[in-house]
């Protein structure tokens, strides 16, 4: 029997989950739940239903894992604890500073409902967190580095779009090659914000906007741009659509550590991702953890888990025997 | 109370374990067991004992985890099942083809003794296996690539040393840059053995040896060199000692995969290691898994495990709260 998946929220991430479920023969998409009028939402999977979010409770026995595809700012802090009482759930909550609080809320709900909730799944938090944790456990003496990009930051793109005179914009976060190189050389540099990443902005102006003023406003925006070397390119709407419509991302996690009786030997662990589609990759990680949620729940587990708490084999459709014979 | 570690076998790996234990404040080295005369074995840890392997059973209640540092060819297939009846054990068994058989033997013994045995720990098998498994679970449609090096292959160095006229030798396995580049570009190449790695040999000749003949014999050696582009450098004994006495290694695991409704998006996951000391890094991985063995056993677990079966948090000295707050 397949693992029956529900998707709550059908934006980029929800569509990514739908695509990922299609790639996993042990899963099937049962239903998509939306806040919009279900008749206005067209999904790709013919066999799945589209329902109003108000109906979700009636699917309690027809869904094995509900995947929450809302945003971390306002949706998930509310939704994950609510739905963890009714369903095994997976979310991609990515506000790092609020993870402990979110964990506590989901843990209480999931235990109350006798369900499993897996939070903060994706690539950062997610695969990058795993890499940092394994690398720190292996090399207790060392330094951690995380670089993001080259990729689109939705938050920074949105910030530019709020500047007066800007019609549309896309912002790329770009790791500084020289900084990466210094880390790879084992130099253990201390890097400022400015030394780690640059920000490249592609901006479409409103008619009659003052380019000089827009550029200054972007470059001096506190938190978002003031601490970075920022480049602003003014381009046409057509060019933005043609060359900047994708949502690529990626990045690097490195740990540079030492071993030996006198710490005389250097080691470098590096993990990197180069992603054509940030939401589809995030969704693919989430779907693997949905399998884990299903299996853990089948074994009687309850409460909130993160990627740190789940043995890798739970993610794979392959058996222990197959994994040992072919992947170890 | 510290986790009390025993080391069985005091070669490069055993010494690496000793150094790694020193870096982990929640552990202490209790004893090293050797087949040699204990009086002839000098270890670095003043507080630890050096004992004959024949005494190991009397340490049953004084050691929490026994780390088996013998070789995979003959030592570990015998030793791990024997000692898994008496101790929680960790080994680095790396004969990939024989892992299922070794797992079965260790599992039976560990269950009989009520102990935990973790096998095939290190970087390949080990961290590379984990990367392959996670990456396959996340991207079910894709191709796997593993490259080793640049690093010293002990097996190939030994093979050269058996050639008549060779006094000493060191062999480096080197990944082919063009092949790595093709994988990173998402070209999904099918690569032959020759296209993936080259072999570089540094050879010290015996007096009066025939260099031409030695070179031909190395290059045509079946299994070891015949399928590779091999370069042979003849150097002096002094140069070998000066420039080639380390045991560096490393490598790359990549998975190139596709997502999207029509698999229209490409993704690349890459994990790499650059290690000054192969045995010390392997030992560092083993020691983190010794912590896991201790904790799993404390919870009542029994039987054989691999890296696939162990939740990442078990490896870390940090609590779940600390990990979620600082590493997720």
């Amino acid at each position: 029997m397949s693992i029956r998946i529900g998707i709550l929220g059908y934006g980029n991430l929800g569509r990514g989950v739908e695509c990922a479920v299609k790639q996993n023969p042990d899963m099937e998409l049962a239903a998509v739940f939306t806040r919009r009028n279900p008749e206005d939402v067209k999904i790709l999977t013919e066999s799945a239903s589209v329902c109003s979010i108000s109906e979700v409770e009636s699917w309690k026995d027809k869904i094995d894992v509900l995947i929450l595809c809302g945003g971390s700012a306002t949706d998930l802090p509310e939704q994950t604890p609510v739905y963890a009482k009714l369903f095994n759930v997976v979310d991609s909550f990515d506000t790092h500073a609020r993870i402990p609080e979110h964990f506590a809320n989901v843990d209480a709900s999931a235990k109350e409902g006798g369900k499993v909730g897996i939070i903060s799944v994706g690539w950062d938090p997610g695969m990058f967190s795993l890499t940092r944790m394994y690398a720190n456990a292996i090399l207790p003496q060392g330094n951690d580095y995380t670089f993001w990009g080259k990729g689109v930051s939705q938050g920074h793109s949105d910030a530019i779009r709020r500047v007066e005179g800007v019609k549309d914009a896309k912002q790329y976060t770009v790791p500084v090659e020289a900084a990466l190189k210094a880390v790879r050389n084992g130099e253990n540099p201390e890097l400022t914000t400015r030394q780690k990443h640059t920000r490249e902005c592609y901006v479409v102006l409103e008619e009659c906007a003052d380019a000089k003023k827009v550029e200054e406003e972007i470059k001096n925006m506190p938190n978002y741009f003031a601490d970075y070397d920022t480049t602003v390119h003014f381009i046409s709407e057509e060019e933005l659509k043609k060359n900047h419509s994708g949502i690529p991302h990626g990045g690097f996690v490195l740990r540079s550590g030492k071993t030996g009786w006198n710490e005389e030997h250097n080691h470098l662990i590096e993990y990197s991702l180069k992603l054509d589609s940030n939401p589809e990759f995030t969704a693919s990680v989430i779907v693997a953890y949905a399998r884990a949620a299903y299996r853990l729940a089948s074994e009687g587990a309850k409460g909130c888990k993160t990627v740190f708490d789940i043995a890798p084999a739970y993610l794979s459709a392959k058996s222990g025997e197959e994994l040992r014979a072919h992947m170890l």
Side-chain angles (χ1 to χ4, degrees), chain A residues 28-48:
Chain A
E28 62 178 283
L29 182 64
V32 169
F33 300 92
T34 178
R35 281 182 287 215
R36 291 175 271 172
N37 179 350
E39 284 171 24
D40 295 342
V41 175
K42 295 283 161 271
I43 66 169
L44 302 162
T45 310
E46 288 181 12
S47 56

Side-chain angles (χ1 to χ4, degrees), chain A residues 66 77 103 124-125 157-158 190 219:
Chain A
L66 183 65
F103 182 91
D124 196 5
S157 301
D158 291 344
E190 289 205 27
K219 288 187 170 176

Side-chain angles (χ1 to χ4, degrees), chain A residues 22 232 299:
Chain A
K22 185 191 177 200
V232 178
E299 293 174 8

